[in-house]
Amino acid sequence: MSNTLKKIGVLTSGGDSPGMNAAIRSVVRTCAYHNIECIGIYRGYEGMIDGDFKELGPRSVNNIINKGGTILKSARSKEFMTVEGRKKAHENLVKAGIDSLVIIGGDGSFTGAEIFNSEFGFPVMGIPGTIDNDIFGTSHTLGYDTALNTVIEVIDKIRDTASSHNRLFFVEVMGRDAGHIALNAGIGAGAEEILIPEENLGLDRLLESLEKSKSSGKSSSIVVIAEGDKIGKSVFELKDYVEANLPEYDVRVSVLGHMQRGGSPSCFDRVLASRLGVKAVESLLEGKSNYMVGILGDKVTLTPLEQAIKGHTEIDRELLRVSDIMST
């Protein structure tokens, strides 16, 4: 390990996700293990510009591994998108003696980190934190597993009332650009149909599927929809269309929204966060920079930030086939 680094800064940026606190804890304690100071940067890049820093020690992160959200807070910074804003942030880091950064966030946060690194040669390391699981170079992002479990629990409750009243429920989950939550939660919750941005099912096939379900004896149905699905302008427009064409269905809509972001992280997310935090700090100490720490095949890996940002995650085609079979 290199001894050239003296202070590592850690921040969370973009949308919060369960497991961010566990990652902060891991970064702080790994720094302490290697006798490196760790500085918490509050409110993401906005905090860098404002100099909102606080030294964190091993006891500073007691009892946060089980908490959702982020103790360092998160904010989007328009000022950091400017050269002047980034220059001010860099000056604050230098003044505080911070010589490298661990950024916990998604592709927007990583884009800021890559630009910052290119402009100032400042060592950066990314940890993927987003419930959407849409970051290239890792099979799982922090918060994804917890979000899946939250969605499954809610859909199980919705099915109870759907069955009691012979209703069709459209359940909208997060996933503006990626359908990983919808596909996996839909299969896990036994949804009759799953609508995702990657696959345009089409209105005609949806109606055909719902008619088939009705004729096969199903008295209630659950359709899971990713918010970015292209089949309709909104889930409510889709509801109106189905009611107009299949009047025998009593249709209801549940938009799960930001409840998917909250809650205590799952065991998987806590362990993943701990592993990625250790790897991020130790990679910086080895002189590496401009990478994202991820997990592939249960191995912790490094992916260049540029690839993590520009690469595209692929939907699992086998899961789509499983979904079709399970909806029979």
Side-chain angles (χ1 to χ4, degrees):
M1 295 292 175
S2 167
N3 290 319
T4 58
L5 298 182
K6 302 300 180 184
K7 285 186 182 181
I8 293 178
V10 59
L11 63 86
T12 51
S13 175
D16 63 288
S17 63
M20 281 186 165
N21 280 328
I24 294 167
R25 173 181 180 269
S26 178
V27 169
V28 171
R29 292 194 170 176
T30 305
C31 284
Y33 180 82
H34 290 287
N35 297 313
I36 300 293
E37 286 186 67
C38 187
I39 305 298
I41 301 171
Y42 286 81
R43 297 176 295 110
Y45 293 125
E46 193 72 7
M48 276 174 59
I49 293 171
D50 294 338
D52 194 359
F53 307 152
K54 181 181 179 181
E55 185 174 351
L56 299 176
R59 303 291 75 82
S60 303
V61 290
N62 279 353
N63 304 318
I64 68 168
I65 193 172
N66 60 316
K67 297 184 184 301
T70 162
I71 63 165
L72 293 179
K73 311 298 182 184
S74 186
R76 303 189 187 277
S77 177
K78 289 185 178 180
E79 191 176 356
F80 192 77
M81 297 178 185
T82 68
V83 174
E84 294 77 13
R86 293 191 294 273
K87 184 178 179 182
K88 186 176 179 182
H90 181 255
E91 289 171 352
N92 284 335
L93 292 178
V94 172
K95 183 178 178 181
I98 299 170
D99 45 28
S100 57
L101 287 174
V102 175
I103 295 98
I104 307 167
D107 55 1
S109 305
F110 293 164
T111 299
E114 187 186 32
I115 294 172
F116 194 72
N117 171 264
S118 67
E119 288 179 342
F120 302 103
F122 203 89
V124 296
M125 196 67 59
I127 294 177
T130 167
I131 67 168
D132 291 332
N133 204 44
D134 58 352
I135 303 293
F136 181 82
T138 184
S139 61
H140 289 75
T141 57
L142 295 183
Y144 173 59
D145 183 71
T146 304
L148 283 181
N149 289 323
T150 298
V151 171
I152 287 283
E153 183 179 353
V154 174
I155 294 177
D156 284 348
K157 296 179 189 301
I158 289 173
R159 186 175 290 282
D160 290 343
T161 191
S163 301
S164 298
H165 296 277
N166 296 338
R167 284 174 175 158
L168 163 63
F169 267 86
F170 286 129
V171 181
E172 184 184 270
V173 301
M174 284 186 167
R176 185 174 60 248
D177 301 309
H180 299 289
I181 291 178
L183 181 57
N184 284 269
I187 292 174
E192 278 64 41
E193 202 61 73
I194 301 167
L195 308 180
I196 57 176
E198 295 87 345
E199 292 284 309
N200 190 350
L201 181 67
L203 290 170
D204 290 339
R205 187 187 152 185
L206 175 62
L207 292 180
E208 181 184 331
S209 175
L210 293 174
E211 286 177 328
K212 183 179 177 182
S213 292
K214 197 77 169 178
S215 63
S216 70
K218 290 183 180 179
S219 59
S220 63
S221 292
I222 301 286
V223 176
V224 177
I225 306 173
E227 61 182 324
D229 178 66
K230 307 299 191 295
I231 198 171
K233 291 181 180 178
S234 75
V235 65
F236 296 99
E237 182 185 80
L238 195 57
K239 167 188 177 294
D240 294 340
Y241 180 83
V242 170
E243 285 182 328
N245 287 274
L246 297 175
E248 66 271 24
Y249 270 113
D250 182 13
V251 187
R252 295 289 187 274
V253 171
S254 285
V255 178
L256 301 193
H258 283 77
M259 73 169 68
Q260 296 161 87
R261 287 195 187 280
S264 181
S266 66
C267 178
F268 181 91
D269 275 328
R270 298 182 198 193
V271 174
L272 179 62
S274 300
R275 295 177 70 185
L276 298 188
V278 169
K279 183 67 173 179
V281 171
E282 294 188 340
S283 295
L284 285 170
L285 293 177
E286 290 167 358
K288 297 183 175 70
S289 174
N290 221 28
Y291 286 97
M292 179 198 75
V293 185
I295 186 167
L296 293 170
D298 201 38
K299 298 292 183 183
V300 179
T301 59
L302 294 178
T303 300
L305 278 181
E306 184 179 12
Q307 288 184 23
I309 296 162
K310 295 181 178 179
H312 294 286
T313 57
E314 299 291 335
I315 206 74
D316 191 329
R317 311 303 301 185
E318 178 62 17
L319 281 183
L320 288 173
R321 196 174 79 87
V322 168
S323 171
D324 285 340
I325 293 172
M326 291 299 101
S327 64
T328 301

